[in-house]
Amino acid sequence: MSRSFPMPQFFVSPDRIRSLFTEAMSQMYRAEVPQYGTLIELVADVNAGCLEKDPDLRDRLARAGELERIDVERHGAIRLGTADELFTIRRLFAVMGMQPVGYYDLSVAGVPVHSTSFRPVDEVALNFNPFRVFTSLLRLELIEDEELRGEAEAILAKRRIYTPRAVALIERHEQNGGLTEAEATEFVAEALETFRWHGEATVSADTYKRLHDAHRLIADVVSFKGPHINHLTPRTLDIDAVQARMPERGITPKAVIEGPPRRHCDILLRQTSFKALEETIAFSGDDGAILGTHTARFGEIEQRGVALTAKGRALYDQLLASVRGEVQVGAGGAKAGAYDDELAARFKALPDSWDELRRADLAFFRYSATPAGIAATVGSTLPGDPEALIAKGYLAFTPIVYEDFLPVSAAGIFQSNLGTDQQQNYATRSNRDAFEAALGATVQDELALYAERQAASLDSALAALGLAGLPLKTVA
């Protein structure tokens, strides 16, 4: 007698779930914020023009495995109110293969939050879909008004930002080690509800005003039933071109591009945006809904360059601080040109050559054995120095793209798009321990991740040349 056995359940990869979620999020945000669709079209046009005009750029992106990801690349941002919300969002993003990387204290720039970035961490997953979500936790202890702080805590304690089914599917993933195709599709739909915009505030107009007067971001976090996604950012290959052409599409950009200046060899991250929408909301009240307005959601664009080492980052921070300390950009952008000029002048101290950046140990690179190098291994002895191998064309290097964020730039975008130049002088009270306790995990060190990728690529390349174990030399 034959016996029947249940068919095994095949789990969907986290990469696929992440891609499904990214596409669903993009469709939702396009419907909610029509200018986002206009922005996506503009970025696509600029990127296509860049690749057509610069075949070297196309070849470099192709060699690094990055060419296919450009069009799907997005990052979003959300702001959470409680430790429990942060703990669960970590579990939700884990379903999509996203891990917390980096700790960012934005209070130093007048924004009462601290943050991390949830993203994939290995090279294959990043090139498949590098979706990132910059996730901030409101620091209620920075609200000086004790009565208002207690009221905000009570409001946040009552809300539930995840659907019961989303939580159940997270638990199933944790228990079973994955989700089936049907479960993954359902998970994406349920998880999306956490990020959806709701035009109804959970507080009265008076409470909203008091939260708003403390800080606009506090009102944004506390006053709604969920942490609506406040921007979804495409990656451009020429942010200056996008900035210049935004007015042609009826979009007004912020005064200056955040981050480093325009360079031949892009570094870290440059960002710009258009002003947050002023949206009608209904406040709760005993006598029925009262209408008001709220600004939170906006459009943002980014251009990513090479990841800098600790040495390179220290120099970047020093140069940026020197400019920001001397040249202030007003709300009207009257000094934007002066700021850009001064930024470019100061940053001449940072080499604008891939080889100089690499040799000075200022940036991270991915190494690979070239066809000529592999061919030379047959019947000849290769030099035992990586620099000599590079000089002969046997060893190639490409920049490792920066996958993370810059706290000063993030704060600049936040402040600009809250419709204010408001700068509270919060005391510098970084509290990474409290953040990680709420998260239920240790955030990964982004510099260590880049260093591991560089070292692994060099080991693999040298092994392919029969020269495993050679150290990489840098200039002083």
Side-chain angles (χ1 to χ4, degrees), residues 5 54 96 132 178 189 202-203 214 242 264 278 359 430 434 438 452 468:
F5 295 92
D54 192 344
M96 306 182 219
R132 319 166 186 87
T202 58
V203 301
V242 174
H264 173 68
E278 185 171 277
R359 288 173 58 82
S430 178
E452 289 169 8

Side-chain angles (χ1 to χ4, degrees), residues 53-73:
K53 290 185 297 184
D54 192 344
D56 289 341
L57 173 63
R58 174 184 283 275
D59 290 346
R60 175 163 61 80
L61 291 172
R63 288 197 309 272
E66 293 178 37
L67 189 59
E68 299 302 321
R69 70 181 241 186
I70 297 295
D71 288 340
V72 301
E73 191 159 348

Side-chain angles (χ1 to χ4, degrees), residues 172-243:
R172 183 169 298 183
H173 177 272
E174 292 170 343
Q175 292 164 2
N176 296 347
L179 296 178
T180 65
E181 180 78 29
E183 290 169 343
T185 300
E186 187 180 9
F187 167 79
V188 167
E190 293 291 335
L192 202 63
E193 293 304 309
T194 296
F195 301 85
R196 191 178 298 281
W197 169 253
H198 299 280
E200 303 81 28
T202 58
V203 301
S204 68
D206 176 68
T207 300
Y208 177 88
K209 183 179 185 306
R210 286 186 290 116
L211 293 167
H212 184 278
D213 289 347
H215 196 289
R216 291 189 178 208
L217 187 140
I218 296 173
D220 181 59
V221 175
V222 176
S223 303
F224 297 90
K225 66 181 294 184
H228 38 259
I229 192 85
N230 54 65
H231 62 268
L232 200 57
T233 304
R235 176 181 171 186
T236 183
L237 298 173
D238 187 346
I239 198 167
D240 298 277
V242 174
Q243 176 94 338

Side-chain angles (χ1 to χ4, degrees), residues 10 71 78 94 97 143 160 205 217 225 242 280 293 300 343 351 356 369 398 400 404 416:
F10 295 100
D71 288 340
I78 57 170
I143 301 177
R160 298 293 179 268
L217 187 140
K225 66 181 294 184
V242 174
T280 300
T293 60
E300 183 182 77
L343 193 69
E356 288 182 73
T398 54
I400 294 177
D404 297 288
S416 172

Side-chain angles (χ1 to χ4, degrees), residues 102-138:
Y103 172 76
Y104 305 88
D105 176 20
L106 271 62
S107 70
V108 299
V111 182
V113 300
H114 47 184
S115 316
T116 192
S117 168
F118 287 94
R119 67 167 178 86
V121 295
D122 69 79
E123 188 171 23
V124 173
L126 283 165
N127 284 342
F128 188 90
N129 186 320
F131 184 54
R132 319 166 186 87
V133 180
F134 190 79
T135 303
S136 301
L137 177 65
L138 179 62

Side-chain angles (χ1 to χ4, degrees), residues 290-429:
I290 301 172
L291 295 181
T293 60
H294 179 70
T295 55
R297 300 187 301 159
F298 56 92
E300 183 182 77
I301 315 96
E302 66 185 19
Q303 181 173 347
R304 291 187 173 268
V306 68
L308 298 185
T309 63
K311 179 182 175 182
R313 182 60 184 271
L315 179 55
Y316 167 82
D317 289 342
Q318 174 191 334
L319 295 173
L320 183 68
S322 71
V323 181
R324 293 178 71 90
E326 294 183 15
V327 183
Q328 299 296 320
V329 180
K335 295 183 180 178
Y339 176 84
D340 290 341
D341 291 344
E342 187 64 25
L343 193 69
R346 298 286 176 93
F347 268 80
K348 288 180 180 178
L350 190 66
D352 197 9
S353 151
W354 295 129
D355 194 49
E356 288 182 73
L357 288 168
R358 183 189 63 82
R359 288 173 58 82
D361 191 30
L362 293 170
F364 292 106
F365 292 85
R366 182 183 184 277
Y367 293 88
S368 58
T370 66
I374 293 173
T377 62
V378 180
S380 62
T381 302
L382 300 185
D385 175 10
E387 292 301 324
L389 293 168
I390 290 170
K392 285 182 172 291
Y394 296 163
L395 187 64
F397 59 90
T398 54
I400 294 177
V401 68
Y402 186 64
E403 306 285 356
D404 297 288
F405 296 92
L406 301 170
V408 173
S409 295
I413 294 285
F414 275 18
Q415 293 289 8
S416 172
N417 288 291
L418 290 169
T420 179
D421 290 325
Q422 175 183 16
Q423 289 284 351
Q424 264 89 336
N425 293 315
Y426 296 116
T428 302
R429 287 180 279 173

Side-chain angles (χ1 to χ4, degrees), residues 32-177:
E32 292 180 348
V33 183
Q35 277 194 320
Y36 166 72
T38 304
L39 198 61
I40 292 297
E41 293 168 2
L42 173 57
V43 169
D45 289 346
V46 169
N47 287 353
C50 288
L51 293 173
E52 184 178 353
K53 290 185 297 184
D54 192 344
D56 289 341
L57 173 63
R58 174 184 283 275
D59 290 346
R60 175 163 61 80
L61 291 172
R63 288 197 309 272
E66 293 178 37
L67 189 59
E68 299 302 321
R69 70 181 241 186
I70 297 295
D71 288 340
V72 301
E73 191 159 348
R74 300 285 185 275
H75 96 247
I78 57 170
R79 305 156 184 167
L80 304 176
T82 69
D84 286 344
E85 292 175 357
L86 182 65
F87 183 83
T88 302
I89 206 75
R90 173 183 59 79
R91 299 166 60 211
L92 183 149
F93 285 134
V95 177
M96 306 182 219
M98 299 163 68
Q99 301 177 34
V101 178
Y103 172 76
Y104 305 88
D105 176 20
L106 271 62
S107 70
V108 299
V111 182
V113 300
H114 47 184
S115 316
T116 192
S117 168
F118 287 94
R119 67 167 178 86
V121 295
D122 69 79
E123 188 171 23
V124 173
L126 283 165
N127 284 342
F128 188 90
N129 186 320
F131 184 54
R132 319 166 186 87
V133 180
F134 190 79
T135 303
S136 301
L137 177 65
L138 179 62
R139 298 185 65 181
L140 287 169
E141 76 274 15
L142 297 180
I143 301 177
E144 294 182 356
D145 185 328
E146 291 186 11
E147 182 179 349
L148 184 63
R149 186 193 317 142
E151 192 172 351
E153 289 175 346
I155 292 167
L156 290 170
K158 294 177 183 177
R159 75 177 187 178
R160 298 293 179 268
I161 67 172
Y162 306 103
T163 70
R165 185 58 180 161
V167 174
L169 287 166
I170 291 170
E171 292 172 348
R172 183 169 298 183
H173 177 272
E174 292 170 343
Q175 292 164 2
N176 296 347

Side-chain angles (χ1 to χ4, degrees), residues 417-464:
N417 288 291
L418 290 169
T420 179
D421 290 325
Q422 175 183 16
Q423 289 284 351
Q424 264 89 336
N425 293 315
Y426 296 116
T428 302
R429 287 180 279 173
S430 178
N431 200 341
R432 178 171 178 158
D433 289 345
F435 185 87
E436 292 183 332
L439 185 68
T442 300
V443 300
Q444 297 193 51
D445 182 341
E446 64 272 26
L447 292 182
L449 291 174
Y450 295 122
E452 289 169 8
R453 286 178 61 188
Q454 175 173 278
S457 72
L458 182 61
D459 288 346
S460 177
L462 293 175

